[in-house]
Amino acid sequence: MAKIIDGKLVAAQVKEQIAQEVKTFGKEVGLAVVIVGDNPASRVYVNSKKKDCEEVGIKSYEYALPQNTTQQELLDLVVKLNNDKNVDGILVQLPLPKQLDEKEILNAINPEKDVDAFHPVNVGKIMIGDYSFLPCTPAGVMELIHSAGVEVKGKHCVVIGRSNIVGKPMAMLLLHEHGTVTICHSRTQNISEITKQADILVAAVGIEKFVTADMVKDGAVVIDVGMNKDSEGKLCGDVDYLPVSEKASFITPVPGGVGPMTRAMLLKNTLTAAKLSNDLKEGERLGDTI
Ligand code: GUN
């Protein structure tokens, strides 16, 4: 029976440390969150981000723009926030309404304020292992793996999913820690033959119960990044939790696994951005646990 990796607990520890650092930082740490339109899921996410900021003493600035906002209006706002000394981090909530060019907007964010790590400069830095920010979900997954005392070095790590936000950077972070990494995706043939070889299996597919027990090796570490709704509208992951937890050595639940860590990592990135703007190098003040 697998040990549960408690994302809520680890996230609370990370947030505690961030709150301490924010308190003694010497200046207010600020995050601007931009939401365009009335996507209900985005509204829920943005509200949680504001609440998280409050909990650790980060000042959040919400910019809620109407659904019919033009590209130029949004670009103007991003430029204004780039130049605002009170704003250390900028997050533009995705998805954006159809008339807006998401790529152009993300590229306009100052990379040093890019707390999502979506800007091509930050993506490139991750590739060469010389980064200030990591995308929140993969960063959170690494923290969870570390918290369980699992060493990545030499392990076969299988990532299911190849998105720019999760799958690809996830693979890169596991590689930086000397894992042997395989990425599976929708066109992968014989996927279970590959997942069965995984010592560490990260599921980021977006399909309920995609990972079944027969796809998992005995003793594997199983990380579930999925955020799906089941037939009753309840939040569930990509992993068929109960049968898989019979085989795994460690497993993350949904809810209470990766989700809280993703949120905590946004706070960490905001603090990092504040340090960057204060010309403090990452690592000087941040301990090993976050
Ligand atoms: N929409 C859903 N998840 C995210 C995220 O991590 N960052 C942003 N900017 N938008 C999102």
Side-chain angles (χ1 to χ4, degrees), residues 159-176:
V159 179
I160 318 177
R162 57 172 159 175
S163 70
N164 290 332
I165 296 175
V166 181
K168 286 184 203 166
M170 188 72 251
M172 209 47 62
L173 299 193
L174 291 162
L175 185 61
H176 288 328

Side-chain angles (χ1 to χ4, degrees), residues 11 14 44 49 55 122 268:
V14 170
V44 171
K49 284 165 188 168
E55 275 177 33
N122 288 323
K268 181 189 167 185

Side-chain angles (χ1 to χ4, degrees), residues 143-210:
E143 294 290 342
L144 289 176
I145 291 172
H146 297 154
S147 78
V150 172
E151 195 178 30
V152 174
K153 187 165 75 180
K155 303 276 169 60
H156 189 188
C157 308
V158 175
V159 179
I160 318 177
R162 57 172 159 175
S163 70
N164 290 332
I165 296 175
V166 181
K168 286 184 203 166
M170 188 72 251
M172 209 47 62
L173 299 193
L174 291 162
L175 185 61
H176 288 328
E177 293 199 9
H178 312 293
T180 301
V181 183
T182 305
I183 305 181
C184 299
H185 49 78
S186 54
R187 318 286 164 88
T188 300
Q189 294 178 359
N190 303 322
I191 194 163
S192 66
E193 292 308 312
I194 297 167
T195 59
K196 268 195 282 195
Q197 297 171 33
D199 303 305
I200 299 174
L201 180 61
V202 181
V205 200
I207 301 173
E208 183 191 350
K209 294 190 179 167
F210 182 88

Side-chain angles (χ1 to χ4, degrees), residues 33-49:
V33 181
V34 180
I35 176 168
V36 185
D38 40 24
N39 180 316
S42 292
R43 173 41 67 194
V44 171
Y45 286 131
V46 166
N47 288 349
S48 326
K49 284 165 188 168

Side-chain angles (χ1 to χ4, degrees), residues 271-285:
L271 181 58
T272 301
K275 289 175 181 175
L276 282 176
S277 76
N278 252 13
D279 280 327
L280 279 176
K281 280 200 186 72
E282 168 67 339
E284 277 180 358
R285 297 169 71 152

Side-chain angles (χ1 to χ4, degrees), residues 45-195:
Y45 286 131
V46 166
N47 288 349
S48 326
K49 284 165 188 168
K50 282 164 59 182
K51 184 171 151 274
D52 292 341
C53 283
E54 246 169 61
E55 275 177 33
V56 299
I58 291 176
K59 171 105 178 137
S60 68
Y61 304 91
E62 181 183 306
Y63 292 83
L65 305 185
Q67 183 76 23
N68 63 359
T69 298
T70 65
Q71 185 76 5
Q72 196 56 51
E73 284 166 340
L74 186 52
L75 278 174
D76 289 347
L77 174 59
V78 169
V79 170
K80 182 176 108 125
L81 297 173
N82 282 342
N83 294 321
D84 187 337
K85 288 204 164 42
N86 294 323
V87 170
D88 296 296
I90 302 170
L91 181 141
V92 177
Q93 187 67 27
L94 304 178
L96 291 170
K98 284 204 172 48
Q99 77 276 13
L100 298 172
D101 177 353
E102 205 163 276
K103 203 155 112 184
E104 189 186 22
I105 300 296
L106 295 179
N107 288 358
I109 296 174
N110 176 352
E112 295 200 346
K113 294 190 175 191
D114 172 34
V115 288
D116 268 322
F118 291 169
H119 191 287
V121 164
N122 288 323
V123 175
K125 284 177 142 196
I126 291 162
M127 187 68 118
I128 58 173
D130 169 29
Y131 43 76
S132 310
F133 303 111
L134 292 174
C136 299
T137 298
V141 169
M142 294 312 292
E143 294 290 342
L144 289 176
I145 291 172
H146 297 154
S147 78
V150 172
E151 195 178 30
V152 174
K153 187 165 75 180
K155 303 276 169 60
H156 189 188
C157 308
V158 175
V159 179
I160 318 177
R162 57 172 159 175
S163 70
N164 290 332
I165 296 175
V166 181
K168 286 184 203 166
M170 188 72 251
M172 209 47 62
L173 299 193
L174 291 162
L175 185 61
H176 288 328
E177 293 199 9
H178 312 293
T180 301
V181 183
T182 305
I183 305 181
C184 299
H185 49 78
S186 54
R187 318 286 164 88
T188 300
Q189 294 178 359
N190 303 322
I191 194 163
S192 66
E193 292 308 312
I194 297 167
T195 59

